[in-house]
Amino acid sequence: MHTNSKPFYVTTPIYYVNAEPHIGHAYTTIVADTLARFHRLMGTETFFQTGTDEHGEKVVEAANARKMPVREYVDQISGQFQATWDALNISYDNFIRTTASSHIRVVQAILQKVQDQGDIYFSEYAGHYCYGCERFVLERELVDGKCPDHLVKPTFVKEGNYFFRMSHYQDWLIDHIHRHPEFIRPERYRNEVLSFLKEPLEDLCISRPKARVPWGIPLPFDDNYVTYVWFDALINYLSGLGYPDSPTFAKFWPGCQHLIAKDILKPHGIYWPTMLKAAGLPLYQHLNVHGYWQMGTGKMSKSLGNVVAPLDLVKRYGLDQVRYFFLREMVYGLDATFSEEALSGRINADLANDLGNLFSRSLAMVFKYCQGQVPTPGPLEPQDQAIQELAQAVWQDYLAFLPALEFHKALMRLWELIGESNRYIVLSEPWQLYKEQRQERLNTVLYTILEALRWVAALLQPIMPTSAIRMLAQLGISTAPAKGQALATLTWGEMQPGTTLSRGEALFPRLELQEPELKPAASPQPATAPGKPEIDLASFQQLDLRIGTIVRAERIAKSDKLLKVVVDLGEPRQVVAGIAQNYQPDDLIGKQVLVVVNLKPAKLMGVESHGMLLAAKSEGRLVLVSPETPVVPGATVA
Ligand code: ME8
């Protein structure tokens, strides 16, 4: 089968800490996460690195603008990136920061190596400097005299600096790209780099005078200068693996694949390979370049101030829903337009209708006709065989599309299996078979559907990890928490008859489209309770209410009212609840409670609270509100 034994190393760009994460960053990081999960599920040893780029003038400016010491500022924003990736279920193995001493050492070692072999020289330089790009830009790159990425006029700068003899490697690089057609992909970006290389390549200025830019890595051979931020940043891909001596470096570097958007094609497609060559190192395997998420017509970017924060989106639409949308909507390599309408449209059509309905109606039938157990199939008829064959063909294609970054195709193909399974149910009419007491035929049909669903769930694991594991669990497939179901060895017919299934909440609840905006009532309304005005439905719908299971509870020091509680809502969440006089911490473990999850975070007695537990007040006591029967943690309340 498609097992790929060469260890796989995937990287995202290390993001600048000059502003908070937005969905452009989230996209690249989710793609990397999908690839990492895919390769792990294929049985390939995998290393996934992301991180933050913390040197350079822009970062100093951003810290100054917030009146913060630079060190404190970079810690804060880097922490926000890391927390965002944790909340998005990003399974990175290493989060690298360029201010870490382990990285600084490697940058200096590489500079020294390149210097020793004569590829670095000192010279005066005058040119147009774009502070946004943090580099000298060429006249011909400007549009109307402005940098096309930052829409500002570059500044004329003249100073003595160190240069890397990049021009020396021009012919070698052109030859390498010709001989490795997939080195830079998709093809349009390979062509873009080749067309850039048709002009004579200039040497790269790799230093900044310390007097002007103190925040950087000192050159090992001249303490008056710091390293240009790109020469520093690109080396993260080596330092994160423990270059030069670590076995991790030896194992993973040959299978290195970078993910970037087209904004940083030149540093990755030209500077980086020539730097590696000069340092005597083998090149990365693939540079995988994607397009931009656009808002309306322009690129979403921090400098243009039109960004969407990933966590806001996830709070509103659900994590796996957003992950699905990103991968289904954008053709890797091309630009795509982001809108909440497109997102909610996909959620309702593809997830709630197609997949969610298929899953819930199938499970409902197994409960109704087979006591919730996987039935034993009888002899197969052609239409059963057709589903099995389709599943196998879809799987094969999926295994080819995913590593080729053709996520939209992989998902379209998978949705063919979902569509066909829905049609198969309609044509096979299980309800009729039940009425006619054709139990064996009914069993075969239901078994076929359950197997198809198992394949769908297994193949969705890299893209929608939480939902896929939840589906597999409901299908009675127990997977070790961090492992999931292997993809290389999927075999039809492995579901064991007699296995008990479990029903749960709708996987992907339908969204109410065009929610009316929350507006204050035009005229005063009769009060329903003292001090509480009547509210309209839209106001109520602003509340995000969920059921969660308490997994930890403890007293808060010096408080006789407050307990610190951790609730499992599909993900853990800490809430401070004023119920210490009515509940012992130990009695709460395993209890399901009603939680307001979109309450603004607050600090109570110095402890952070992200939500509120709801309790009835009755005769001076607080009684927690719980669902009538247990439900899946994270279930919404409507
Ligand atoms: O360039 N659409 O960091 P950065 C899609 N520190 N992806 C987008 C995007 C958009 N509208 N906006 C940003 C840097 N991205 C350097 C990298 S690497 C050695 C140093 C994503 O914070 C995309 O991956 O500006 C893009 O390449 C990256 O964020 C730029 O991040």
Side-chain angles (χ1 to χ4, degrees), residues 332-353:
Y332 196 92
L334 303 181
D335 292 347
T337 302
F338 177 82
S339 76
E340 290 194 48
E341 289 73 30
L343 169 59
S344 47
R346 283 239 171 262
I347 292 175
N348 278 351
D350 301 359
L351 297 181
N353 272 7

Side-chain angles (χ1 to χ4, degrees), residues 14 16 22 24-25 28 53 237 261 263-264 290 293 300 302:
I14 47 170
Y16 281 132
H22 65 69
H25 308 121
T28 319
D53 188 355
Y237 301 132
D263 52 344
I264 51 178
H290 63 77
W293 282 100
M300 179 184 308
K302 299 181 266 217

Side-chain angles (χ1 to χ4, degrees), residues 9 11-14 49-51 96 98 103 107 231-241 272:
Y9 174 34
T11 69
T12 71
I14 47 170
Q49 176 165 293
T50 186
I96 189 162
T98 54
H103 171 74
V107 171
F231 202 96
D232 155 0
L234 287 161
I235 291 173
N236 90 84
Y237 301 132
L238 300 174
S239 63
L241 287 183
W272 185 220

Side-chain angles (χ1 to χ4, degrees), residues 105-106 109 238-239 241-251 281:
R105 266 199 309 278
V106 174
L238 300 174
S239 63
L241 287 183
Y243 168 89
D245 301 324
S246 159
T248 312
F249 174 72
K251 181 191 284 177
L281 285 164

Side-chain angles (χ1 to χ4, degrees), residues 531-604:
K532 304 250 168 134
E534 225 171 33
I535 58 168
D536 58 15
L537 186 61
S539 310
F540 175 73
Q541 282 171 339
Q542 296 269 317
L543 280 178
D544 189 354
L545 296 174
R546 290 179 195 243
I547 301 294
T549 309
I550 296 182
V551 289
R552 263 208 322 266
E554 59 191 68
R555 291 191 176 279
I556 290 179
K558 299 205 191 101
S559 168
D560 53 358
K561 287 217 180 84
L562 300 180
L563 291 184
K564 180 166 100 180
V565 173
V566 177
V567 188
D568 173 10
L569 290 160
E571 55 188 32
R573 183 182 280 245
Q574 177 172 302
V575 176
V576 175
I579 51 173
Q581 292 176 334
N582 305 98
Y583 291 90
Q584 292 301 323
D586 284 351
D587 296 342
L588 287 170
I589 308 301
K591 194 171 183 57
Q592 289 212 305
V593 286
L594 179 56
V595 190
V596 185
V597 293
N598 61 339
L599 200 66
K600 281 216 173 91
K603 254 194 185 166
L604 299 162

